[in-house]
Amino acid sequence: MDQDSHCTAERELLEAVSRITTSSTTGPSDEEENQPKAEISCEVRKENPEKDDMQDSSATLSPNSSMTTKELQEYWRNEKRQCKQVKLLFEIPSTRIVEHHLSKYVMYKIIILQTGSFDSNKSVIERRYSDFEKLHRNLLEEFSEEMEDVTFPKKTLTGNFTEEIINERKLAFKDYLRFLYSMKYIRRSKKFIDFLTRPELQEAYGCLRGGQYTKALEILLEVIGLQERLTRGNPVSIVPTLCAIVVCHKDLENPASAFEYGEKALSRLRVHSSHRYYIPLLETMITLAYELGKDFLSLQEKLEEWKTKKDPIRVFTLKELAVREYVQ
């Protein structure tokens, strides 16, 4: 290949990669935003790994004019290999009718799984018609414009427990959740996330307050995976759940597991030292590190550094904070 041909090929490759990179960082139009689609999560190595949870994943490398053709080809290979489509899917495969005292209602089994990679940790929850109805009412208060074209299955005076009506609602609620998730502002809203996680978290914290640590831990471990998927843009929001898991493991005398989840929580608070969980978590991690024979001096230094910057105030222990969550 002569020099002109080589330069032309290199320029064309550069322009192609630039177009792809630009399109992946440009926000979607209003029309595109309201269409169900996959989010793109690019998981690549960063110079500062602490920022992984603070922003959407993006490549640190970017094509520029100083790259050779070979370097540009390698860059694009890495992009294709490391960028994968991430999307949550909602399935409602079955229902069950519950009769409790004078009430009777249908529980819809919702399976939430992630596409784009093998998702072995699917989440399974149950919700009844009134739960969907409450969600719809709450979302209308905040997202009236976005919700104006959303249809919601109405109650009927009779026949609510017939197989035909139940099957119709299964499909309707599946499409309803899919449509809500397709809109960025709704899927990131606290009301939508609470609908999918709050009942289980309330049960888990109730068990924790009652000393049923094994049961609480079982529920928390099921919820945390779903929380992580739903709050990728706000990793700090799952710190209370991670700390509750630490408390359960600690009280069940599993210090190694407690320390593991404590590290996950602490990594999300490195730039949030004013967070209410930061100091109680640090104190717990120092205790666990000492018990496990790990380095606790660096943790102790962070604690002392915080104390020199802040006025002395009463700080709850990690367990005291945990038992106060979801108190009605």
Side-chain angles (χ1 to χ4, degrees):
M1 181 183 292
D2 57 30
Q3 183 174 2
D4 291 339
S5 299
H6 177 80
C7 292
T8 299
E10 182 174 326
R11 185 167 56 255
E12 290 175 349
L13 183 58
L14 173 61
E15 291 173 352
V17 176
S18 297
R19 283 196 300 272
I20 293 166
T21 305
T22 302
S23 65
S24 67
T25 57
T26 302
S29 64
D30 291 341
E31 182 178 351
E32 291 171 336
E33 182 57 51
N34 289 328
Q35 296 299 320
K37 60 184 181 299
E39 293 182 270
I40 300 298
S41 173
C42 302
E43 301 173 355
V44 298
R45 186 178 301 169
K46 294 188 175 79
E47 292 181 1
N48 185 0
E50 294 180 14
K51 294 184 179 179
D52 286 357
D53 292 325
M54 301 304 297
Q55 60 188 17
D56 290 336
S57 300
S58 60
T60 54
L61 290 175
S62 60
N64 58 66
S65 58
S66 65
M67 282 185 173
T68 65
T69 301
K70 182 177 181 181
E71 288 172 336
L72 286 169
Q73 290 172 337
E74 181 62 26
Y75 170 85
W76 178 233
R77 277 195 294 270
N78 288 334
E79 286 293 288
K80 289 202 297 183
R81 181 169 60 247
Q82 295 168 343
C83 295
K84 58 188 178 183
Q85 289 187 325
V86 176
K87 178 182 178 183
L88 292 187
L89 295 179
F90 299 86
E91 299 290 341
I92 304 181
S94 61
T95 61
R96 62 187 179 94
I97 297 176
V98 178
E99 296 190 53
H100 184 67
H101 297 304
L102 300 178
S103 64
K104 182 179 180 181
Y105 52 88
V106 179
M107 293 294 289
Y108 296 85
K109 181 179 180 180
I110 306 169
I111 297 179
I112 308 163
L113 61 159
Q114 179 177 299
T115 63
S117 62
F118 179 68
D119 188 12
S120 59
N121 297 317
K122 64 183 179 182
S123 301
V124 181
I125 60 176
E126 282 190 317
R127 297 293 182 268
R128 54 189 291 188
Y129 181 95
S130 59
D131 295 324
F132 281 97
E133 193 175 38
K134 181 180 178 181
L135 169 66
H136 189 69
R137 188 168 58 250
N138 289 339
L139 291 177
L140 282 174
E141 294 176 357
E142 188 174 352
F143 304 101
S144 56
E145 293 184 6
E146 291 86 347
M147 298 285 291
E148 62 182 0
D149 295 326
V150 180
T151 58
F152 188 83
K154 295 181 180 180
K155 276 187 175 180
T156 59
L157 294 177
T158 60
N160 287 301
F161 300 101
T162 64
E163 184 177 355
E164 181 182 1
I165 293 296
I166 291 175
N167 286 334
E168 286 179 2
R169 286 182 178 171
K170 278 170 54 179
L171 294 174
F173 284 142
K174 172 185 172 181
D175 290 340
Y176 178 73
L177 291 173
R178 176 176 173 269
F179 191 85
L180 294 181
Y181 183 76
S182 74
M183 294 183 282
K184 179 177 67 175
Y185 295 111
I186 290 182
R187 71 170 170 263
R188 292 181 180 178
S189 70
K190 185 177 185 300
K191 293 175 180 178
F192 181 68
I193 294 172
D194 277 353
F195 168 79
L196 297 171
T197 61
R198 189 177 180 88
E200 286 71 25
L201 287 172
Q202 286 177 323
E203 181 183 1
Y205 279 99
C207 292
L208 193 157
R209 284 189 289 273
Q212 301 176 37
Y213 302 116
T214 300
K215 179 63 176 177
L217 182 60
E218 177 185 338
I219 300 171
L220 290 168
L221 291 175
E222 289 180 357
V223 175
I224 191 66
L226 178 56
Q227 275 189 305
E228 288 176 330
R229 299 183 192 113
L230 291 168
T231 61
R232 288 185 298 112
N234 184 21
V236 176
S237 64
I238 68 170
V239 166
T241 307
L242 288 171
C243 289
I245 293 174
V246 172
V247 170
C248 289
H249 274 305
K250 189 172 183 295
D251 282 359
L252 289 170
E253 299 183 356
N254 300 324
S257 296
F259 191 83
E260 175 188 349
Y261 280 92
E263 285 186 315
K264 292 180 181 180
L266 204 56
S267 69
R268 288 161 169 79
L269 295 179
R270 283 173 181 160
V271 294
H272 299 279
S273 59
S274 60
H275 195 281
R276 61 197 172 97
Y277 270 90
Y278 183 70
I279 294 306
L281 178 60
L282 262 183
E283 292 175 337
T284 299
M285 290 295 284
I286 291 170
T287 301
L288 290 169
Y290 182 80
E291 181 179 350
L292 293 168
K294 295 180 179 289
D295 172 34
F296 63 90
L297 294 179
S298 58
L299 296 170
Q300 187 70 47
E301 288 173 1
K302 290 180 181 179
L303 181 61
E304 296 302 325
E305 180 183 355
W306 184 90
K307 288 181 178 179
T308 60
K309 293 180 180 179
K310 305 288 183 180
D311 294 330
I313 56 175
R314 182 177 184 274
V315 178
F316 292 110
T317 66
L318 196 67
K319 187 173 183 178
E320 287 173 338
L321 274 182
V323 298
R324 282 169 168 76
E325 295 285 347
Y326 294 93
V327 175
Q328 298 180 351

